[in-house]
Amino acid sequence: GAVVSQHPSRVICKSGTSVKIECRSLDFQATTMFWYRQFPKKSLMLMATSNEGSKATYEQGVEKDKFLINHASLTLSTLTVTSAHPEDSSFYICSAYRTAGNTIYFGEGSWLTVV
Amino acid sequence: SQQGEEDPQALSIQEGENATMNCSYKTSINNLQWYRQNSGRGLVHLILIRSNEREKHSGRLRVTLDTSKKSSSLLITASRAADTASYFCATDGGTYKYIFGTGTRLKVLA
């Protein structure tokens, strides 16, 4: 079964509103999680590294004020797309690093449509 | 960009044929992973190969890794229509910040 869960799997929101996507590690603690974005028929681009208890580290070109990341607990990281616009419509996916086993697990992703 | 390159970008084959996809990357790695993504769906982990391994098998999948050339290949034998999907390689670049390749869109015709 899934060890990393994302919610919601699909969401539609209106332009100008904010939407939050959750990434949970189900049976392990994850001090580090990662957020990716995928445009249609394209590859996955790393957006940021989410660190529990500290600020996220954003990749070059990713607006940190636009994509707010909060990693408030060892099992939960959230990505909030603020003041969403249609061009933010995309597939967002997270991954979580499990120390035991030295393994990365990916969530199943969240489809965001901004109308 | 540190993104890896995959080729071909698209591949169309008949059911029963073998499909080979290649991935090239730019930095030293600890391991390389292959994922499948069906249209509109999330990622499915296929196989992980470590930097000290040269070949790995899992069912109909065979993965090779050549760290001197910074390249890997994924072979799917006796392909099925259900194998139709996009396939991505992902490398860790020495950290757990995985970078994905550009992907290969495989279409298996029944």
Side-chain angles (χ1 to χ4, degrees), chain A:
Chain A
V3 295
V4 174
S5 172
Q6 272 186 249
H7 178 79
S9 57
R10 292 181 182 274
V11 58
I12 300 173
C13 72
K14 292 184 178 179
S15 285
T17 63
S18 296
V19 61
K20 181 186 289 186
I21 300 169
E22 296 183 345
C23 178
R24 291 181 185 275
S25 54
L26 297 181
D27 61 355
F28 66 98
Q29 294 181 333
T31 55
T32 305
M33 294 184 175
F34 302 91
W35 287 96
Y36 295 81
R37 178 177 183 177
Q38 184 181 37
F39 291 100
K41 297 186 178 180
K42 298 290 185 183
S43 188
L44 293 89
M45 302 301 295
L46 180 65
M47 298 175 67
T49 303
S50 174
N51 305 297
E52 188 270 335
S54 64
K55 291 182 180 180
T57 307
Y58 290 81
E59 295 299 304
Q60 192 172 11
V62 178
E63 300 175 62
K64 59 181 181 181
D65 295 330
K66 172 77 173 174
F67 299 100
L68 299 179
I69 292 171
N70 188 323
H71 195 151
S73 80
L74 285 169
T75 59
L76 175 64
S77 174
T78 60
L79 168 68
T80 301
V81 182
T82 62
S83 188
H85 289 102
E87 57 264 32
D88 298 325
S89 298
S90 195
F91 182 64
Y92 294 88
I93 192 165
C94 70
S95 66
Y97 171 59
R98 183 174 190 170
T99 309
N102 223 11
T103 307
I104 282 279
Y105 295 95
F106 279 87
E108 294 194 337
S110 300
W111 288 98
L112 169 63
T113 302
V114 184
V115 298

Side-chain angles (χ1 to χ4, degrees), chain B residues 2 24-30 67 70 91-95 99:
Chain B
Q2 294 185 28
S24 60
Y25 55 92
K26 298 180 181 179
T27 64
S28 297
I29 62 171
N30 291 320
T67 52
K70 290 187 169 60
T91 53
D92 67 345
T95 70
I99 303 297

